[in-house]
Amino acid sequence: MFIGILFFNSYKAKKAHRLQTAAYESIIVTLLKNQNEQQSRIEMADELRETLSVSGAHIRAEILSLQYQLLEKLSENNLLE
């Protein structure tokens, strides 16, 4: 009888442990998935930041070039004072 109770308690403990382990594994999988998604978003944000930086530099250079062209035209037509 005593041995039967020990086996039953051992069975219950193992089952509880398996359920708890499965729950922890599920949480870990969810956390890893969230981490991967967040890492993906960070990489996309970094790429966007780089693209915007390059585009901004290009736009600034184009504006400067247009300003020089405008000054040249104004100078050619004696419109600068």
Side-chain angles (χ1 to χ4, degrees), residues 19-53:
L19 290 174
Q20 190 175 29
T21 301
Y24 288 148
E25 287 174 353
S26 176
I27 291 169
I28 289 170
V29 167
T30 301
L31 290 173
L32 288 173
K33 181 181 173 189
N34 290 344
Q35 182 183 15
N36 287 338
E37 289 172 357
Q38 188 175 30
Q39 184 62 35
S40 219
R41 283 189 217 114
I42 290 170
E43 289 171 5
M44 286 173 45
D46 288 343
E47 290 171 7
L48 179 59
R49 187 177 297 113
E50 179 64 27
T51 300
L52 289 174
S53 175

PDB file of all heavy atoms in Angstrom, residues 19-53:
ATOM      1  N   LEU A  19       3.920  19.104 -17.377  1.00  0.00           N
ATOM      2  CA  LEU A  19       3.021  20.207 -17.722  1.00  0.00           C
ATOM      3  C   LEU A  19       3.719  21.555 -17.521  1.00  0.00           C
ATOM      4  O   LEU A  19       3.600  22.461 -18.350  1.00  0.00           O
ATOM      5  CB  LEU A  19       1.744  20.148 -16.887  1.00  0.00           C
ATOM      6  CG  LEU A  19       0.788  18.999 -17.207  1.00  0.00           C
ATOM      7  CD1 LEU A  19      -0.363  18.963 -16.209  1.00  0.00           C
ATOM      8  CD2 LEU A  19       0.248  19.142 -18.627  1.00  0.00           C
ATOM      9  N   GLN A  20       4.444  21.664 -16.424  1.00  0.00           N
ATOM     10  CA  GLN A  20       5.150  22.907 -16.140  1.00  0.00           C
ATOM     11  C   GLN A  20       6.248  23.137 -17.181  1.00  0.00           C
ATOM     12  O   GLN A  20       6.427  24.255 -17.673  1.00  0.00           O
ATOM     13  CB  GLN A  20       5.741  22.856 -14.731  1.00  0.00           C
ATOM     14  CG  GLN A  20       6.286  24.188 -14.262  1.00  0.00           C
ATOM     15  CD  GLN A  20       6.763  24.123 -12.818  1.00  0.00           C
ATOM     16  OE1 GLN A  20       7.178  23.062 -12.352  1.00  0.00           O
ATOM     17  NE2 GLN A  20       6.710  25.240 -12.121  1.00  0.00           N
ATOM     18  N   THR A  21       6.962  22.084 -17.533  1.00  0.00           N
ATOM     19  CA  THR A  21       8.015  22.188 -18.538  1.00  0.00           C
ATOM     20  C   THR A  21       7.430  22.584 -19.888  1.00  0.00           C
ATOM     21  O   THR A  21       7.988  23.428 -20.591  1.00  0.00           O
ATOM     22  CB  THR A  21       8.782  20.852 -18.652  1.00  0.00           C
ATOM     23  OG1 THR A  21       9.347  20.531 -17.378  1.00  0.00           O
ATOM     24  CG2 THR A  21       9.891  20.933 -19.681  1.00  0.00           C
ATOM     25  N   ALA A  22       6.303  21.990 -20.258  1.00  0.00           N
ATOM     26  CA  ALA A  22       5.653  22.340 -21.522  1.00  0.00           C
ATOM     27  C   ALA A  22       5.233  23.806 -21.526  1.00  0.00           C
ATOM     28  O   ALA A  22       5.385  24.506 -22.541  1.00  0.00           O
ATOM     29  CB  ALA A  22       4.444  21.441 -21.759  1.00  0.00           C
ATOM     30  N   ALA A  23       4.726  24.286 -20.411  1.00  0.00           N
ATOM     31  CA  ALA A  23       4.329  25.698 -20.320  1.00  0.00           C
ATOM     32  C   ALA A  23       5.546  26.599 -20.474  1.00  0.00           C
ATOM     33  O   ALA A  23       5.499  27.608 -21.199  1.00  0.00           O
ATOM     34  CB  ALA A  23       3.625  25.963 -18.993  1.00  0.00           C
ATOM     35  N   TYR A  24       6.648  26.251 -19.813  1.00  0.00           N
ATOM     36  CA  TYR A  24       7.878  27.045 -19.925  1.00  0.00           C
ATOM     37  C   TYR A  24       8.407  27.028 -21.355  1.00  0.00           C
ATOM     38  O   TYR A  24       8.864  28.047 -21.879  1.00  0.00           O
ATOM     39  CB  TYR A  24       8.960  26.547 -18.971  1.00  0.00           C
ATOM     40  CG  TYR A  24       8.693  26.856 -17.511  1.00  0.00           C
ATOM     41  CD1 TYR A  24       9.119  25.992 -16.515  1.00  0.00           C
ATOM     42  CD2 TYR A  24       8.027  28.014 -17.122  1.00  0.00           C
ATOM     43  CE1 TYR A  24       8.885  26.273 -15.174  1.00  0.00           C
ATOM     44  CE2 TYR A  24       7.799  28.294 -15.788  1.00  0.00           C
ATOM     45  CZ  TYR A  24       8.222  27.418 -14.808  1.00  0.00           C
ATOM     46  OH  TYR A  24       7.998  27.697 -13.490  1.00  0.00           O
ATOM     47  N   GLU A  25       8.358  25.862 -21.994  1.00  0.00           N
ATOM     48  CA  GLU A  25       8.818  25.759 -23.385  1.00  0.00           C
ATOM     49  C   GLU A  25       7.972  26.648 -24.289  1.00  0.00           C
ATOM     50  O   GLU A  25       8.497  27.320 -25.180  1.00  0.00           O
ATOM     51  CB  GLU A  25       8.763  24.311 -23.861  1.00  0.00           C
ATOM     52  CG  GLU A  25       9.844  23.438 -23.274  1.00  0.00           C
ATOM     53  CD  GLU A  25       9.691  21.968 -23.636  1.00  0.00           C
ATOM     54  OE1 GLU A  25       8.661  21.590 -24.238  1.00  0.00           O
ATOM     55  OE2 GLU A  25      10.610  21.205 -23.314  1.00  0.00           O
ATOM     56  N   SER A  26       6.672  26.663 -24.073  1.00  0.00           N
ATOM     57  CA  SER A  26       5.782  27.512 -24.860  1.00  0.00           C
ATOM     58  C   SER A  26       6.117  28.983 -24.662  1.00  0.00           C
ATOM     59  O   SER A  26       6.158  29.759 -25.620  1.00  0.00           O
ATOM     60  CB  SER A  26       4.332  27.239 -24.465  1.00  0.00           C
ATOM     61  OG  SER A  26       3.466  28.116 -25.139  1.00  0.00           O
ATOM     62  N   ILE A  27       6.380  29.365 -23.442  1.00  0.00           N
ATOM     63  CA  ILE A  27       6.743  30.758 -23.143  1.00  0.00           C
ATOM     64  C   ILE A  27       8.061  31.112 -23.827  1.00  0.00           C
ATOM     65  O   ILE A  27       8.195  32.186 -24.425  1.00  0.00           O
ATOM     66  CB  ILE A  27       6.831  30.984 -21.622  1.00  0.00           C
ATOM     67  CG1 ILE A  27       5.438  30.911 -21.000  1.00  0.00           C
ATOM     68  CG2 ILE A  27       7.509  32.312 -21.299  1.00  0.00           C
ATOM     69  CD1 ILE A  27       5.426  30.867 -19.482  1.00  0.00           C
ATOM     70  N   ILE A  28       9.026  30.202 -23.765  1.00  0.00           N
ATOM     71  CA  ILE A  28      10.331  30.446 -24.384  1.00  0.00           C
ATOM     72  C   ILE A  28      10.182  30.602 -25.893  1.00  0.00           C
ATOM     73  O   ILE A  28      10.769  31.503 -26.504  1.00  0.00           O
ATOM     74  CB  ILE A  28      11.325  29.319 -24.029  1.00  0.00           C
ATOM     75  CG1 ILE A  28      11.710  29.427 -22.555  1.00  0.00           C
ATOM     76  CG2 ILE A  28      12.568  29.379 -24.921  1.00  0.00           C
ATOM     77  CD1 ILE A  28      12.486  28.244 -22.024  1.00  0.00           C
ATOM     78  N   VAL A  29       9.372  29.734 -26.512  1.00  0.00           N
ATOM     79  CA  VAL A  29       9.153  29.821 -27.959  1.00  0.00           C
ATOM     80  C   VAL A  29       8.519  31.173 -28.310  1.00  0.00           C
ATOM     81  O   VAL A  29       8.934  31.836 -29.265  1.00  0.00           O
ATOM     82  CB  VAL A  29       8.271  28.648 -28.450  1.00  0.00           C
ATOM     83  CG1 VAL A  29       7.772  28.880 -29.866  1.00  0.00           C
ATOM     84  CG2 VAL A  29       9.044  27.338 -28.367  1.00  0.00           C
ATOM     85  N   THR A  30       7.534  31.585 -27.534  1.00  0.00           N
ATOM     86  CA  THR A  30       6.882  32.875 -27.775  1.00  0.00           C
ATOM     87  C   THR A  30       7.875  34.025 -27.619  1.00  0.00           C
ATOM     88  O   THR A  30       7.907  34.951 -28.450  1.00  0.00           O
ATOM     89  CB  THR A  30       5.698  33.069 -26.809  1.00  0.00           C
ATOM     90  OG1 THR A  30       4.761  32.001 -27.000  1.00  0.00           O
ATOM     91  CG2 THR A  30       5.001  34.397 -27.038  1.00  0.00           C
ATOM     92  N   LEU A  31       8.691  33.979 -26.589  1.00  0.00           N
ATOM     93  CA  LEU A  31       9.686  35.033 -26.371  1.00  0.00           C
ATOM     94  C   LEU A  31      10.712  35.082 -27.499  1.00  0.00           C
ATOM     95  O   LEU A  31      11.089  36.166 -27.958  1.00  0.00           O
ATOM     96  CB  LEU A  31      10.391  34.832 -25.029  1.00  0.00           C
ATOM     97  CG  LEU A  31       9.542  35.089 -23.784  1.00  0.00           C
ATOM     98  CD1 LEU A  31      10.316  34.696 -22.525  1.00  0.00           C
ATOM     99  CD2 LEU A  31       9.108  36.541 -23.708  1.00  0.00           C
ATOM    100  N   LEU A  32      11.151  33.922 -27.954  1.00  0.00           N
ATOM    101  CA  LEU A  32      12.111  33.883 -29.063  1.00  0.00           C
ATOM    102  C   LEU A  32      11.496  34.440 -30.341  1.00  0.00           C
ATOM    103  O   LEU A  32      12.151  35.170 -31.095  1.00  0.00           O
ATOM    104  CB  LEU A  32      12.614  32.460 -29.286  1.00  0.00           C
ATOM    105  CG  LEU A  32      13.574  31.928 -28.223  1.00  0.00           C
ATOM    106  CD1 LEU A  32      13.873  30.446 -28.464  1.00  0.00           C
ATOM    107  CD2 LEU A  32      14.861  32.730 -28.203  1.00  0.00           C
ATOM    108  N   LYS A  33      10.242  34.100 -30.587  1.00  0.00           N
ATOM    109  CA  LYS A  33       9.543  34.620 -31.767  1.00  0.00           C
ATOM    110  C   LYS A  33       9.440  36.140 -31.682  1.00  0.00           C
ATOM    111  O   LYS A  33       9.723  36.850 -32.646  1.00  0.00           O
ATOM    112  CB  LYS A  33       8.149  34.005 -31.874  1.00  0.00           C
ATOM    113  CG  LYS A  33       7.371  34.461 -33.067  1.00  0.00           C
ATOM    114  CD  LYS A  33       5.989  33.837 -33.088  1.00  0.00           C
ATOM    115  CE  LYS A  33       5.154  34.423 -34.197  1.00  0.00           C
ATOM    116  NZ  LYS A  33       3.770  34.009 -34.135  1.00  0.00           N
ATOM    117  N   ASN A  34       9.053  36.648 -30.523  1.00  0.00           N
ATOM    118  CA  ASN A  34       8.947  38.095 -30.331  1.00  0.00           C
ATOM    119  C   ASN A  34      10.308  38.774 -30.495  1.00  0.00           C
ATOM    120  O   ASN A  34      10.406  39.848 -31.085  1.00  0.00           O
ATOM    121  CB  ASN A  34       8.361  38.425 -28.958  1.00  0.00           C
ATOM    122  CG  ASN A  34       6.902  38.065 -28.857  1.00  0.00           C
ATOM    123  OD1 ASN A  34       6.228  37.848 -29.850  1.00  0.00           O
ATOM    124  ND2 ASN A  34       6.408  37.981 -27.630  1.00  0.00           N
ATOM    125  N   GLN A  35      11.338  38.137 -29.969  1.00  0.00           N
ATOM    126  CA  GLN A  35      12.685  38.691 -30.087  1.00  0.00           C
ATOM    127  C   GLN A  35      13.115  38.757 -31.555  1.00  0.00           C
ATOM    128  O   GLN A  35      13.687  39.757 -31.997  1.00  0.00           O
ATOM    129  CB  GLN A  35      13.675  37.853 -29.289  1.00  0.00           C
ATOM    130  CG  GLN A  35      15.083  38.394 -29.321  1.00  0.00           C
ATOM    131  CD  GLN A  35      16.071  37.509 -28.572  1.00  0.00           C
ATOM    132  OE1 GLN A  35      15.772  36.359 -28.261  1.00  0.00           O
ATOM    133  NE2 GLN A  35      17.238  38.043 -28.286  1.00  0.00           N
ATOM    134  N   ASN A  36      12.837  37.698 -32.312  1.00  0.00           N
ATOM    135  CA  ASN A  36      13.189  37.679 -33.728  1.00  0.00           C
ATOM    136  C   ASN A  36      12.432  38.758 -34.499  1.00  0.00           C
ATOM    137  O   ASN A  36      12.997  39.429 -35.369  1.00  0.00           O
ATOM    138  CB  ASN A  36      12.920  36.305 -34.335  1.00  0.00           C
ATOM    139  CG  ASN A  36      13.918  35.272 -33.888  1.00  0.00           C
ATOM    140  OD1 ASN A  36      15.023  35.597 -33.462  1.00  0.00           O
ATOM    141  ND2 ASN A  36      13.536  34.014 -33.949  1.00  0.00           N
ATOM    142  N   GLU A  37      11.146  38.920 -34.196  1.00  0.00           N
ATOM    143  CA  GLU A  37      10.353  39.959 -34.854  1.00  0.00           C
ATOM    144  C   GLU A  37      10.893  41.345 -34.523  1.00  0.00           C
ATOM    145  O   GLU A  37      10.993  42.211 -35.390  1.00  0.00           O
ATOM    146  CB  GLU A  37       8.883  39.852 -34.443  1.00  0.00           C
ATOM    147  CG  GLU A  37       8.176  38.643 -35.018  1.00  0.00           C
ATOM    148  CD  GLU A  37       6.772  38.444 -34.458  1.00  0.00           C
ATOM    149  OE1 GLU A  37       6.354  39.224 -33.568  1.00  0.00           O
ATOM    150  OE2 GLU A  37       6.096  37.511 -34.913  1.00  0.00           O
ATOM    151  N   GLN A  38      11.240  41.550 -33.267  1.00  0.00           N
ATOM    152  CA  GLN A  38      11.779  42.846 -32.852  1.00  0.00           C
ATOM    153  C   GLN A  38      13.127  43.099 -33.524  1.00  0.00           C
ATOM    154  O   GLN A  38      13.399  44.215 -33.979  1.00  0.00           O
ATOM    155  CB  GLN A  38      11.916  42.892 -31.335  1.00  0.00           C
ATOM    156  CG  GLN A  38      12.294  44.253 -30.808  1.00  0.00           C
ATOM    157  CD  GLN A  38      12.309  44.288 -29.290  1.00  0.00           C
ATOM    158  OE1 GLN A  38      12.584  43.280 -28.644  1.00  0.00           O
ATOM    159  NE2 GLN A  38      12.032  45.439 -28.723  1.00  0.00           N
ATOM    160  N   GLN A  39      13.959  42.085 -33.609  1.00  0.00           N
ATOM    161  CA  GLN A  39      15.258  42.227 -34.269  1.00  0.00           C
ATOM    162  C   GLN A  39      15.063  42.584 -35.738  1.00  0.00           C
ATOM    163  O   GLN A  39      15.783  43.415 -36.289  1.00  0.00           O
ATOM    164  CB  GLN A  39      16.077  40.935 -34.131  1.00  0.00           C
ATOM    165  CG  GLN A  39      17.467  41.024 -34.709  1.00  0.00           C
ATOM    166  CD  GLN A  39      18.332  42.058 -34.021  1.00  0.00           C
ATOM    167  OE1 GLN A  39      18.238  42.266 -32.821  1.00  0.00           O
ATOM    168  NE2 GLN A  39      19.161  42.745 -34.788  1.00  0.00           N
ATOM    169  N   SER A  40      14.081  41.972 -36.356  1.00  0.00           N
ATOM    170  CA  SER A  40      13.762  42.269 -37.750  1.00  0.00           C
ATOM    171  C   SER A  40      13.350  43.725 -37.909  1.00  0.00           C
ATOM    172  O   SER A  40      13.790  44.415 -38.838  1.00  0.00           O
ATOM    173  CB  SER A  40      12.629  41.363 -38.196  1.00  0.00           C
ATOM    174  OG  SER A  40      12.808  40.926 -39.478  1.00  0.00           O
ATOM    175  N   ARG A  41      12.510  44.199 -36.996  1.00  0.00           N
ATOM    176  CA  ARG A  41      12.070  45.601 -37.042  1.00  0.00           C
ATOM    177  C   ARG A  41      13.253  46.546 -36.825  1.00  0.00           C
ATOM    178  O   ARG A  41      13.339  47.596 -37.471  1.00  0.00           O
ATOM    179  CB  ARG A  41      10.993  45.857 -35.990  1.00  0.00           C
ATOM    180  CG  ARG A  41       9.654  45.330 -36.388  1.00  0.00           C
ATOM    181  CD  ARG A  41       8.569  45.794 -35.415  1.00  0.00           C
ATOM    182  NE  ARG A  41       7.630  44.710 -35.250  1.00  0.00           N
ATOM    183  CZ  ARG A  41       7.416  44.028 -34.143  1.00  0.00           C
ATOM    184  NH1 ARG A  41       8.052  44.337 -33.035  1.00  0.00           N
ATOM    185  NH2 ARG A  41       6.559  43.043 -34.107  1.00  0.00           N
ATOM    186  N   ILE A  42      14.141  46.187 -35.937  1.00  0.00           N
ATOM    187  CA  ILE A  42      15.324  47.026 -35.683  1.00  0.00           C
ATOM    188  C   ILE A  42      16.196  47.108 -36.938  1.00  0.00           C
ATOM    189  O   ILE A  42      16.669  48.187 -37.309  1.00  0.00           O
ATOM    190  CB  ILE A  42      16.125  46.488 -34.474  1.00  0.00           C
ATOM    191  CG1 ILE A  42      15.349  46.719 -33.185  1.00  0.00           C
ATOM    192  CG2 ILE A  42      17.514  47.122 -34.409  1.00  0.00           C
ATOM    193  CD1 ILE A  42      15.927  46.020 -31.974  1.00  0.00           C
ATOM    194  N   GLU A  43      16.393  45.982 -37.600  1.00  0.00           N
ATOM    195  CA  GLU A  43      17.199  45.969 -38.818  1.00  0.00           C
ATOM    196  C   GLU A  43      16.546  46.819 -39.904  1.00  0.00           C
ATOM    197  O   GLU A  43      17.227  47.572 -40.611  1.00  0.00           O
ATOM    198  CB  GLU A  43      17.409  44.535 -39.299  1.00  0.00           C
ATOM    199  CG  GLU A  43      18.348  43.742 -38.415  1.00  0.00           C
ATOM    200  CD  GLU A  43      18.388  42.257 -38.758  1.00  0.00           C
ATOM    201  OE1 GLU A  43      17.753  41.841 -39.764  1.00  0.00           O
ATOM    202  OE2 GLU A  43      19.050  41.507 -38.024  1.00  0.00           O
ATOM    203  N   MET A  44      15.218  46.708 -40.037  1.00  0.00           N
ATOM    204  CA  MET A  44      14.504  47.516 -41.024  1.00  0.00           C
ATOM    205  C   MET A  44      14.625  49.001 -40.695  1.00  0.00           C
ATOM    206  O   MET A  44      14.817  49.834 -41.592  1.00  0.00           O
ATOM    207  CB  MET A  44      13.036  47.102 -41.084  1.00  0.00           C
ATOM    208  CG  MET A  44      12.813  45.776 -41.775  1.00  0.00           C
ATOM    209  SD  MET A  44      11.120  45.133 -41.696  1.00  0.00           S
ATOM    210  CE  MET A  44      10.120  46.534 -42.052  1.00  0.00           C
ATOM    211  N   ALA A  45      14.518  49.344 -39.420  1.00  0.00           N
ATOM    212  CA  ALA A  45      14.642  50.739 -39.007  1.00  0.00           C
ATOM    213  C   ALA A  45      16.047  51.260 -39.299  1.00  0.00           C
ATOM    214  O   ALA A  45      16.205  52.407 -39.754  1.00  0.00           O
ATOM    215  CB  ALA A  45      14.313  50.882 -37.526  1.00  0.00           C
ATOM    216  N   ASP A  46      17.062  50.441 -39.057  1.00  0.00           N
ATOM    217  CA  ASP A  46      18.441  50.848 -39.349  1.00  0.00           C
ATOM    218  C   ASP A  46      18.636  51.077 -40.846  1.00  0.00           C
ATOM    219  O   ASP A  46      19.277  52.043 -41.260  1.00  0.00           O
ATOM    220  CB  ASP A  46      19.434  49.803 -38.842  1.00  0.00           C
ATOM    221  CG  ASP A  46      19.553  49.781 -37.327  1.00  0.00           C
ATOM    222  OD1 ASP A  46      19.121  50.760 -36.674  1.00  0.00           O
ATOM    223  OD2 ASP A  46      20.074  48.777 -36.788  1.00  0.00           O
ATOM    224  N   GLU A  47      18.066  50.169 -41.663  1.00  0.00           N
ATOM    225  CA  GLU A  47      18.165  50.321 -43.116  1.00  0.00           C
ATOM    226  C   GLU A  47      17.441  51.582 -43.573  1.00  0.00           C
ATOM    227  O   GLU A  47      17.949  52.328 -44.423  1.00  0.00           O
ATOM    228  CB  GLU A  47      17.582  49.094 -43.819  1.00  0.00           C
ATOM    229  CG  GLU A  47      18.415  47.847 -43.651  1.00  0.00           C
ATOM    230  CD  GLU A  47      17.712  46.585 -44.167  1.00  0.00           C
ATOM    231  OE1 GLU A  47      16.620  46.711 -44.779  1.00  0.00           O
ATOM    232  OE2 GLU A  47      18.247  45.495 -43.962  1.00  0.00           O
ATOM    233  N   LEU A  48      16.270  51.834 -43.002  1.00  0.00           N
ATOM    234  CA  LEU A  48      15.515  53.035 -43.357  1.00  0.00           C
ATOM    235  C   LEU A  48      16.282  54.294 -42.961  1.00  0.00           C
ATOM    236  O   LEU A  48      16.356  55.260 -43.721  1.00  0.00           O
ATOM    237  CB  LEU A  48      14.140  53.017 -42.680  1.00  0.00           C
ATOM    238  CG  LEU A  48      13.246  54.219 -42.934  1.00  0.00           C
ATOM    239  CD1 LEU A  48      12.974  54.400 -44.426  1.00  0.00           C
ATOM    240  CD2 LEU A  48      11.943  54.078 -42.168  1.00  0.00           C
ATOM    241  N   ARG A  49      16.869  54.280 -41.771  1.00  0.00           N
ATOM    242  CA  ARG A  49      17.655  55.431 -41.311  1.00  0.00           C
ATOM    243  C   ARG A  49      18.808  55.703 -42.276  1.00  0.00           C
ATOM    244  O   ARG A  49      19.074  56.856 -42.638  1.00  0.00           O
ATOM    245  CB  ARG A  49      18.187  55.160 -39.904  1.00  0.00           C
ATOM    246  CG  ARG A  49      18.868  56.356 -39.273  1.00  0.00           C
ATOM    247  CD  ARG A  49      19.332  56.085 -37.843  1.00  0.00           C
ATOM    248  NE  ARG A  49      18.209  55.793 -36.970  1.00  0.00           N
ATOM    249  CZ  ARG A  49      17.972  54.606 -36.393  1.00  0.00           C
ATOM    250  NH1 ARG A  49      18.806  53.592 -36.594  1.00  0.00           N
ATOM    251  NH2 ARG A  49      16.937  54.419 -35.621  1.00  0.00           N
ATOM    252  N   GLU A  50      19.480  54.654 -42.707  1.00  0.00           N
ATOM    253  CA  GLU A  50      20.595  54.807 -43.645  1.00  0.00           C
ATOM    254  C   GLU A  50      20.099  55.349 -44.984  1.00  0.00           C
ATOM    255  O   GLU A  50      20.703  56.258 -45.566  1.00  0.00           O
ATOM    256  CB  GLU A  50      21.319  53.467 -43.839  1.00  0.00           C
ATOM    257  CG  GLU A  50      22.474  53.509 -44.810  1.00  0.00           C
ATOM    258  CD  GLU A  50      23.616  54.398 -44.347  1.00  0.00           C
ATOM    259  OE1 GLU A  50      23.789  54.591 -43.136  1.00  0.00           O
ATOM    260  OE2 GLU A  50      24.336  54.936 -45.213  1.00  0.00           O
ATOM    261  N   THR A  51      18.993  54.808 -45.472  1.00  0.00           N
ATOM    262  CA  THR A  51      18.419  55.268 -46.741  1.00  0.00           C
ATOM    263  C   THR A  51      18.026  56.737 -46.652  1.00  0.00           C
ATOM    264  O   THR A  51      18.297  57.526 -47.575  1.00  0.00           O
ATOM    265  CB  THR A  51      17.188  54.415 -47.113  1.00  0.00           C
ATOM    266  OG1 THR A  51      17.597  53.050 -47.249  1.00  0.00           O
ATOM    267  CG2 THR A  51      16.557  54.875 -48.412  1.00  0.00           C
ATOM    268  N   LEU A  52      17.387  57.114 -45.554  1.00  0.00           N
ATOM    269  CA  LEU A  52      16.984  58.510 -45.380  1.00  0.00           C
ATOM    270  C   LEU A  52      18.193  59.427 -45.290  1.00  0.00           C
ATOM    271  O   LEU A  52      18.170  60.551 -45.809  1.00  0.00           O
ATOM    272  CB  LEU A  52      16.106  58.656 -44.138  1.00  0.00           C
ATOM    273  CG  LEU A  52      14.699  58.066 -44.257  1.00  0.00           C
ATOM    274  CD1 LEU A  52      13.988  58.142 -42.905  1.00  0.00           C
ATOM    275  CD2 LEU A  52      13.898  58.776 -45.322  1.00  0.00           C
ATOM    276  N   SER A  53      19.234  58.964 -44.641  1.00  0.00           N
ATOM    277  CA  SER A  53      20.447  59.767 -44.532  1.00  0.00           C
ATOM    278  C   SER A  53      21.066  60.005 -45.907  1.00  0.00           C
ATOM    279  O   SER A  53      21.432  61.138 -46.246  1.00  0.00           O
ATOM    280  CB  SER A  53      21.440  59.056 -43.613  1.00  0.00           C
ATOM    281  OG  SER A  53      22.655  59.751 -43.575  1.00  0.00           O
TER     282      SER A  53
END
